[in-house]
């Protein structure tokens, strides 16, 4: 867990007296109390990963449902912003907001397109399992006869462990033989760590505190 905290914050009790606890400890207690109300009991060192996992789930849900005009995505947008703000208050490493998730998806699609010799259009791909389960991306595909569709295999970045000093790797996905309703389906190909999570990065790191 990152130990970079904003020490300029000063909390006060309802009667206006300063709170004697360290700011970071008090903020963690407040956050843990809210989770306890929801039935989740977190140790102080678990808050970082818990918030990061919430951001991962919201990001994949945003990438899944943004293509459906009938499905509201405002909740994902607001949740990603709220989690990023809460992590900033705690001094944890940053997680992306909704525009940054979509920017990452666009950049990833462009990088994946470089694997094809002459991509001529975009198609939708959906991941059925693994860290990116449910996410839908728009990626380039080849329209040449005998080589139609996106790449046979796709590798997506993953991370695991402490968010301040995580391990990094890739999850390899295998394409289905044919598209399903215009969307190409991909399944995880090979074993990965059980605690692997999506590694959705910001375009650049903030000026102070944390890492992208």
């Amino acid at each position: 867990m990152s130990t970079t905290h904003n020490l300029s914050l000063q909390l006060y009790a309802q009667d206006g007296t300063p709170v004697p606890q360290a700011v970071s400890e008090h903020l963690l207690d407040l956050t843990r109390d809210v989770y306890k109300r929801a039935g989740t009991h977190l140790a102080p060192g678990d808050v970082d990963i818990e918030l990061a996992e919430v951001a991962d789930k919201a990001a994949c849900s945003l990438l899944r449902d943004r293509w459906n005009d009938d499905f509201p995505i405002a909740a994902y947008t607001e949740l990603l912003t709220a989690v990023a703000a809460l992590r900033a208050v705690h001094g944890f490493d940053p997680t992306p907001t909704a525009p940054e998730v979509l920017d990452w998806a666009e950049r990833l699609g462009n990088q994946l397109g470089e694997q094809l010799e002459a991509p001529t259009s975009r198609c939708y791909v959906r991941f059925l399992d693994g860290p990116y389960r449910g996410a839908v991306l728009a990626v380039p595909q080849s329209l040449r006869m005998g080589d139609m569709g996106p790449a046979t295999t796709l590798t997506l970045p993953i991370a695991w462990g402490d968010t301040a000093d995580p391990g990094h790797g890739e999850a390899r996905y295998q394409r289905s033989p044919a598209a399903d309703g215009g969307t190409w389906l991909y399944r995880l190909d090979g074993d990965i760590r059980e605690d692997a999570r999506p590694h959705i990065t910001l375009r650049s790191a903030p000026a102070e505190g944390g890492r992208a």
Side-chain angles (χ1 to χ4, degrees):
M1 180 173 62
S2 173
T3 56
T4 304
H5 297 278
N6 184 348
L7 299 180
S8 66
L9 293 175
Q10 176 61 64
L11 301 180
Y12 295 88
Q14 290 184 349
D15 61 2
T17 58
V19 176
Q21 296 175 266
V23 171
S24 59
E25 293 178 356
H26 187 74
L27 291 173
L28 282 174
D29 286 343
L30 291 174
T31 302
R32 292 170 62 209
D33 286 345
V34 174
Y35 270 95
K36 188 183 298 182
R37 284 163 47 195
T40 301
H41 297 268
L42 297 176
D46 295 336
V47 175
D48 182 8
I49 292 296
E50 179 69 23
L51 293 176
E53 290 178 349
V54 172
D56 291 337
K57 293 173 184 175
C60 285
S61 295
L62 173 66
L63 293 174
R64 177 194 66 199
D65 293 324
R66 65 175 174 143
W67 309 105
N68 187 350
D69 293 336
D70 298 328
F71 197 97
I73 60 173
Y76 304 138
T77 300
E78 294 165 2
L79 177 58
L80 284 163
T81 302
V83 171
L86 183 56
R87 291 183 60 82
V89 168
H90 279 297
F92 297 153
D93 283 15
T95 50
T97 63
E100 290 164 331
V101 170
L102 300 181
D103 175 68
W104 171 86
E106 178 68 20
R107 287 185 283 125
L108 179 63
N110 291 337
Q111 293 171 6
L112 295 175
E114 295 174 357
Q115 301 177 15
L116 302 178
E117 292 183 3
T120 56
S121 70
R122 290 236 167 184
C123 66
Y124 297 115
V125 302
R126 180 160 61 93
F127 302 95
L128 300 177
D129 53 7
Y132 287 89
R133 179 168 57 91
V136 176
L137 298 177
V139 302
Q141 67 172 336
S142 172
L143 296 181
R144 293 186 306 179
M145 293 301 297
D147 188 30
M148 297 182 67
T152 303
T153 60
L154 297 177
T155 56
L156 299 185
I158 56 175
W160 57 82
D162 193 302
T163 64
D165 186 23
H168 293 104
E170 293 181 331
R172 178 185 174 94
Y173 283 88
Q174 182 75 29
R175 193 189 76 184
S176 60
D180 180 13
T183 300
W184 292 88
L185 305 180
Y186 283 78
R187 291 191 179 276
L188 198 60
D189 182 21
D191 297 329
I192 59 172
R193 293 173 56 108
E194 291 185 2
D195 59 344
R197 60 181 183 271
H199 185 43
I200 299 176
T201 56
L202 285 69
R203 183 178 288 271
S204 60
E208 296 182 0
R211 290 182 293 280

